[in-house]
Amino acid sequence: MRRRQWSALCAGAVLSLALSACGNGAIPSAGNDASTLRVWFPGNLSSEIALVNDELVPAFEAKHPGVDVQVEFVDWGNLSTRLSTAFAGNTAPDVFGHGNAAAAGFAKAGRVAPLDERVAGLPGGAADLTFLADGKVDGKQYVMPLRGFGYLIAYRTDLMTAAGLDPAKPPTTWDELRSAAQKLTVRDGGKITRSGLLLATDNPTSMTQSFASFLYQAGGAFLGPDGAAVTWNSPEAASALSFATGLYQGGDAVATGVGEKTTNTGAQHPLVTGRAAMALIDDATLKTIYEQAPEVAKNIAVAPATTGPKAAASFGGAGNGMFVSAGSKQQDRAWEFISFLLEAENLKKYTMAVGGIPARGSLAKDPELAALPYLAPYMTSAAAFRGNPVHPKWTQLRDALGASVEKAFRTPLAPQAALDEAAAAAEKVLKG
């Protein structure tokens, strides 16, 4: 009831005042009493909002009589600004969700509380929490991931059969990928009408994520171990970017459409329309295909993480997770709420509603989750996923890299030159 009252208060304030407390991230004073726990979730997914407000929060409040959990969902695009305003005004929520890439910045600024002792006290231990390492900064735990994500090669089994390939034996190495892609590519004169292997190239960030999969397979890394120097222009990185951009360039190209939106496109995804036979896609995008084009989805399978020159790996890891504000006066209660969300039963509900890879490895054996064809392959490959570095300036560094990686995809700029260019720009960021 109080959540509805607070929403009404905010709506009324927005209508009557251009600058309201709600609009600026401030919390109504009614939320500051000792029995109130304020929680911000990122995003506006209707299924997540329904689960949290109608099931999880009432269940938590029933276990903790007298506690009123006030939840607000904040658009991802406004989340960082809202949090900055709230921290500056000492009105930050007790618990908030964000991506793990933000952890280093929050930790460096002293905005979030370390959780190591609390994690150690979790019933049954923390060994079952799949993405826990992605939530650490300088060895300390600051974020508790609720789910993960990953990129794998999905392919059309019917198109493979028609091309004389065995869909039961998908390509697993760079050489096999390239060879299969050549056989699956369809050309009309000099124009590719069906890509043999498509990457996610919607924008510079997704291009960087596609590059990351091959980078990790080649044994490379974005940054050195201490995060003080860029290593994304190593020979391993250059070979990875050469492989990725080579799919789109030259007389033997097997892909077309750099910049085409493919993420979360469902029935419009090239795998569905037949404009691609294989594609590097994330679990959320595959979920939209199953939801919007179930008849075609029956002919889509997913290969294990590709094995490159050095490792079987792919881009992925922790998705959004929960932080405890360092200034919260309700830190024990805040942790109780987070640990409640991390209970296996609740994580399963969260996965079913929101998607993504559950943050508990044991849930990979759950019959209901394991039966989901768009999720099971990603749960099986969870150990192979590697994410972005945890660095306070990663967003700036990623933008510098993305600009040059895009040039490598779109222009004749050589991969090594593009990566060197990005490294030079990044060094200025690191020294700034």
Side-chain angles (χ1 to χ4, degrees), residues 156 272 286 289-291 293-301 373:
R156 286 277 297 267
V272 177
L286 187 59
I289 291 176
Y290 271 83
E291 291 171 342
E295 292 305 314
V296 178
K298 293 177 181 176
N299 293 321
I300 294 177

Side-chain angles (χ1 to χ4, degrees), residues 64-76:
H64 302 273
V67 176
D68 177 29
V69 181
Q70 293 187 347
V71 174
E72 183 177 3
F73 281 81
V74 182
D75 284 345
W76 276 103

Side-chain angles (χ1 to χ4, degrees), residues 3 17 37 68 78 156 185 190 195 206 212 221 225 232 240 264 267 296 325 333-335 340 353 358 415 426:
R3 288 188 295 279
L17 298 172
L37 187 72
D68 177 29
N78 299 326
R156 286 277 297 267
T185 300
S195 296
S206 59
W232 68 49
N264 295 331
V296 178
S325 295
R333 190 72 74 196
W335 175 251
F340 172 78

Side-chain angles (χ1 to χ4, degrees), residues 19-388:
L19 295 175
S20 71
C22 297
N24 284 334
I27 307 300
S29 58
N32 292 330
D33 62 82
S35 64
T36 299
L37 187 72
R38 292 173 290 138
V39 182
W40 286 7
F41 278 84
N44 54 12
L45 186 66
S46 59
S47 58
E48 183 179 15
I49 293 173
L51 173 68
V52 171
N53 285 340
D54 299 340
E55 291 190 46
L56 296 181
V57 168
F60 178 80
E61 291 176 335
K63 283 188 174 182
H64 302 273
V67 176
D68 177 29
V69 181
Q70 293 187 347
V71 174
E72 183 177 3
F73 281 81
V74 182
D75 284 345
W76 276 103
N78 299 326
L79 183 59
S80 294
T81 301
R82 291 282 306 274
L83 283 170
S84 295
T85 301
F87 281 128
N90 293 320
T91 57
D94 301 292
V95 179
F96 66 91
H98 210 303
N100 71 312
F106 288 133
K108 184 178 180 181
R111 299 301 195 191
V112 292
L115 303 172
D116 300 86
E117 292 184 6
R118 298 183 185 278
V119 171
L122 276 172
D128 191 34
L129 296 176
T130 310
F131 303 105
L132 205 57
D134 291 350
K136 291 185 177 181
V137 179
D138 294 334
K140 291 184 178 180
Q141 194 76 43
Y142 284 99
V143 57
M144 301 300 294
L146 294 181
R147 59 174 175 155
F149 72 98
Y151 281 80
L152 293 173
I153 300 292
Y155 58 95
R156 286 277 297 267
T157 56
D158 54 335
L159 299 182
M160 274 208 168
T161 300
L165 299 169
D166 184 354
K169 298 179 180 178
T172 59
T173 67
W174 285 13
D175 287 344
E176 291 177 0
L177 265 183
R178 183 77 199 198
S179 176
Q182 283 287 0
K183 294 177 180 177
L184 290 164
T185 300
V186 175
R187 296 177 174 83
D188 182 3
K191 182 180 178 181
I192 294 176
T193 57
R194 185 179 77 196
S195 296
L197 172 58
L198 203 66
L199 305 181
T201 62
D202 304 33
N203 51 52
T205 297
S206 59
M207 292 179 194
T208 301
Q209 293 172 343
S210 290
F211 160 58
S213 290
F214 300 111
L215 173 69
Y216 295 141
Q217 291 161 16
F222 285 118
L223 303 175
D226 60 359
V230 166
T231 58
W232 68 49
N233 58 339
S234 66
E236 292 82 4
S239 69
L241 188 56
S242 293
F243 182 83
T245 58
L247 298 173
Y248 289 83
Q249 298 170 351
D252 59 350
V254 295
T256 186
V258 171
E260 178 182 3
K261 178 175 173 54
T262 61
T263 302
N264 295 331
T265 50
Q268 300 305 312
H269 193 281
L271 277 179
V272 177
T273 62
R275 289 184 291 107
M278 297 191 293
L280 180 66
I281 67 174
D282 65 289
D283 50 287
T285 297
L286 187 59
K287 183 172 184 283
T288 66
I289 291 176
Y290 271 83
E291 291 171 342
Q292 298 177 23
E295 292 305 314
V296 178
K298 293 177 181 176
N299 293 321
I300 294 177
V302 181
T306 302
T307 300
K310 293 292 180 62
S314 198
F315 182 74
N320 61 298
M322 305 304 285
F323 296 81
V324 174
S325 295
S328 170
K329 295 179 180 179
Q330 302 243 46
Q331 297 208 5
D332 289 344
R333 190 72 74 196
W335 175 251
E336 287 175 349
F337 184 73
I338 292 175
S339 59
F340 172 78
L341 296 178
L342 292 173
E343 291 176 6
E345 178 183 0
N346 295 328
L347 278 181
K348 177 182 175 180
K349 292 179 180 177
Y350 192 79
T351 299
M352 296 291 286
V354 181
I357 304 168
R360 283 192 177 276
S362 58
L363 288 175
K365 299 178 181 178
D366 180 89
E368 196 170 8
L369 292 177
L372 296 175
Y374 55 81
L375 182 59
Y378 293 88
M379 291 196 296
T380 303
S381 296
F385 294 135
R386 302 180 190 177
N388 290 322

